[in-house]
């Protein structure tokens, strides 16, 4: 499942309303949007997952590059 700032924002907002007693309003939505966007950006920049693996024919470690979408 790809990272989705909108889905994460909605989950944060719902948690704050149902478990922490926050009042739902546009300001809370904006706050959750900002938090979610920053989290997604940080994870995408800090994490690399191989998408193309290369096994050298002469032996050695398998290498590759990729990212999170």
């Amino acid at each position: 499942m790809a990272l989705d700032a909108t889905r994460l924002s909605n989950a944060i907002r719902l948690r704050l309303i149902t478990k922490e007693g926050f009042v739902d309003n546009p300001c809370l939505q904006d706050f959750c949007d900002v938090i979610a966007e920053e989290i997604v950006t940080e994870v995408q920049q800090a994490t690399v997952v191989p998408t193309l693996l290369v096994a050298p024919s002469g032996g050695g470690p398998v290498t590759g590059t990729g990212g999170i979408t």
Side-chain angles (χ1 to χ4, degrees), residues 38-53:
E38 291 301 319
I39 290 170
V40 168
T41 299
E42 183 67 23
V43 170
Q44 287 175 331
Q45 290 177 355
T47 307
V48 175
V49 177
T51 56
L52 174 65
L53 297 178

Side-chain angles (χ1 to χ4, degrees), residues 8-64:
L8 180 57
S9 175
N10 289 335
I12 293 169
R13 187 179 129 275
L14 184 61
R15 168 64 189 247
L16 291 175
I17 293 167
T18 60
K19 302 286 185 179
E20 306 301 328
F22 281 55
V23 175
D24 192 16
N25 61 52
C27 222
L28 179 61
Q29 183 65 58
D30 291 344
F31 174 74
C32 294
D33 289 346
V34 169
I35 297 297
E37 288 169 14
E38 291 301 319
I39 290 170
V40 168
T41 299
E42 183 67 23
V43 170
Q44 287 175 331
Q45 290 177 355
T47 307
V48 175
V49 177
T51 56
L52 174 65
L53 297 178
V54 178
S57 59
V62 173
T63 60

